[in-house]
Amino acid sequence: MVTVEGATNIPGVSIAGVTYSLGPANALMSDGQAGKPIILPIGP
């Protein structure tokens, strides 16, 4: 679950083989998108 623009607990899609931790990330989504955002972690 992620927080995007103040909205909390939004389910997102992770990328296989990528390690995620708490902290900043990029979320790929568009206005009116019915699907889940794709989450890209920032950092090592």
Side-chain angles (χ1 to χ4, degrees), residues 10-33:
I10 298 172
V13 176
S14 61
I15 298 173
V18 175
T19 301
Y20 289 84
S21 61
L22 295 177
N26 289 318
L28 301 176
M29 56 192 304
S30 63
D31 287 340
Q33 181 178 354

